[in-house]
Amino acid sequence: MKHVLTGILPVAPTPFTADGRVDEDGMRRVLDCMIDQGVDAICILANYSEQFVLSDEERALLTKLSVEHVAGRVPVIVTISHFATHIVVERAKYAQSLGASMVMMMPPYHGVGLVPAPLGIYEHFKAVSDAISIPIMIQDAPISGASLPVDMLVKMAKEIENVSYFKIEVPFAADKLAALIEAGGPEILGPFDGEEAVTLLADLDAGATGTMTSAMFPEKIRPIVIDYRAGRLDAALAQWQRCLPLVNHENRQCGLRAAKTVMMEGGVIKSDYVRHPLKPMSDRTKQRLLSLARDLDVLALKWGK
């Protein structure tokens, strides 16, 4: 990338057909909808993309399809997380070879009982950096069960060439972001938050320069970041307050299913199928989701109609 990435970098959902196959045309429509939502970049194959239910062949297909279809309209971030270092390295090299702008990865994990020692985690990220020349975003998420203290993150930012972006979505994310920015200085090019922007205002207060949300309604969340960074704090607060009921419902009640359900309702995709063992939302949860989305007049509810 020629510039430092800021703003909103949402995660693209992976659409499936009603019988559970990858919907390639639906994936293209998801990407087009997200670009029309005004996103600053698109992240694929993340946890909210159901990366954990995709085969290696499906991952390769979706990486190629997505980078080729976006065709440089916005940067594409490819999530490459895996426990095995050699697999992560190959995923990173493949993503770069296709034209990805960045890779995102969690530390190696396989449940709380199998987390490498700090040196192993450091070497895991360094191996990827040594194999590619595009930026790496470290995803610091509770799902990994791996502890990434601020001093470790700063060490990697200073010593590993391509580590420069961070997605912090652990409890008390704002305090961790502030400490990371203070200790890492200019080596912290991109401090971002996650968790559907449920803590966005506090994280912006701490120095975050962007957010990685779902693809449900980034066109409503992006102005919060833009206004805040321009010093229009009252406008940022007002917009965050407008968005918060839907953000909260997504974060606490719906999870990764929310974006797919809203996109299906709006004709972006044909099915909001999630792969087993995940289960569909209850009708009660779905109806509240759609009601809140209509109240905000989100683009995905009308994009395909």
Side-chain angles (χ1 to χ4, degrees):
M1 291 186 302
K2 296 180 181 179
H3 62 279
V4 175
L5 199 54
T6 61
I8 189 164
L9 331 174
V11 172
T14 301
F16 301 113
T17 60
D19 60 357
R21 292 175 290 111
V22 171
D23 182 354
E24 296 180 41
D25 183 61
M27 188 73 227
R28 294 183 184 96
R29 289 173 61 81
V30 164
L31 297 168
D32 287 339
C33 177
M34 293 176 71
I35 290 169
D36 286 348
Q37 289 167 324
V39 302
D40 295 293
I42 294 173
C43 180
I44 63 170
L45 300 176
N47 295 325
Y48 261 40
S49 312
E50 294 174 77
Q51 58 92 6
F52 30 73
V53 297
L54 297 171
S55 69
D56 291 343
E57 293 76 15
E58 289 169 334
R59 289 184 58 91
L61 167 68
L62 288 163
T63 302
K64 188 172 190 295
L65 180 158
S66 298
V67 175
E68 289 183 352
H69 186 71
V70 171
R73 289 178 286 173
V74 296
V76 175
I77 303 165
V78 179
T79 308
I80 60 170
S81 302
H82 196 279
F83 186 83
T85 300
H86 74 281
I87 293 177
V88 175
V89 167
E90 289 306 311
R91 288 180 176 181
K93 290 163 65 176
Y94 181 66
Q96 178 172 290
S97 74
L98 293 173
S101 297
M102 184 186 298
V103 295
M104 181 173 79
M105 54 190 288
M106 288 185 286
Y109 73 99
H110 198 73
V112 294
L114 189 56
V115 176
L119 180 59
I121 294 173
Y122 178 96
E123 292 172 342
H124 189 75
F125 284 98
K126 187 175 188 305
V128 172
S129 180
D130 289 347
I132 61 174
S133 59
I134 57 177
I136 298 168
M137 175 179 277
I138 295 180
Q139 182 179 7
D140 183 13
I143 191 173
S144 75
S147 176
L148 295 175
V150 168
D151 59 350
M152 176 189 287
L153 295 176
V154 171
K155 177 180 173 65
M156 289 194 284
K158 291 183 175 180
E159 297 179 2
I160 301 178
E161 182 177 1
N162 294 307
V163 169
S164 50
Y165 288 79
F166 300 84
K167 180 186 181 184
I168 307 297
E169 48 185 348
V170 294
F172 309 107
D175 288 343
K176 190 164 189 177
L177 278 162
L180 175 65
I181 293 164
E182 181 179 5
E187 304 300 327
I188 312 300
L189 290 185
F192 284 76
D193 79 352
E195 287 196 297
E196 299 73 66
V198 74
T199 60
L200 178 56
L201 209 67
D203 297 334
L204 290 169
D205 287 341
T209 56
T211 184
M212 184 178 285
T213 65
S214 80
M216 187 168 64
F217 65 126
E219 80 281 3
K220 302 294 184 181
I221 297 175
R222 185 174 184 267
I224 302 170
V225 180
I226 300 303
D227 282 336
Y228 190 99
R229 300 194 71 219
R232 298 184 291 269
L233 305 188
D234 289 344
L237 174 59
Q239 182 65 7
W240 188 65
Q241 289 171 330
R242 282 190 287 270
C243 292
L244 194 53
L246 182 53
V247 168
N248 180 73
H249 190 69
E250 177 185 27
N251 178 265
R252 303 297 294 171
Q253 305 298 327
C254 306
L256 60 83
R257 301 168 298 182
K260 293 176 115 174
T261 293
V262 169
M263 286 186 165
M264 183 183 74
E265 184 74 13
V268 182
I269 56 178
K270 295 178 180 179
S271 172
D272 62 354
Y273 184 95
V274 290
R275 280 184 171 173
H276 197 270
L278 299 175
K279 304 291 283 185
M281 283 185 285
S282 68
D283 186 64
R284 177 192 69 254
T285 302
K286 178 178 178 178
Q287 292 309 313
R288 176 59 64 189
L289 170 70
L290 293 176
S291 174
L292 290 169
R294 290 189 191 103
D295 288 345
L296 273 180
D297 191 30
V298 305
L299 178 63
L301 273 181
K302 54 192 177 185
W303 185 88
K305 293 182 176 179

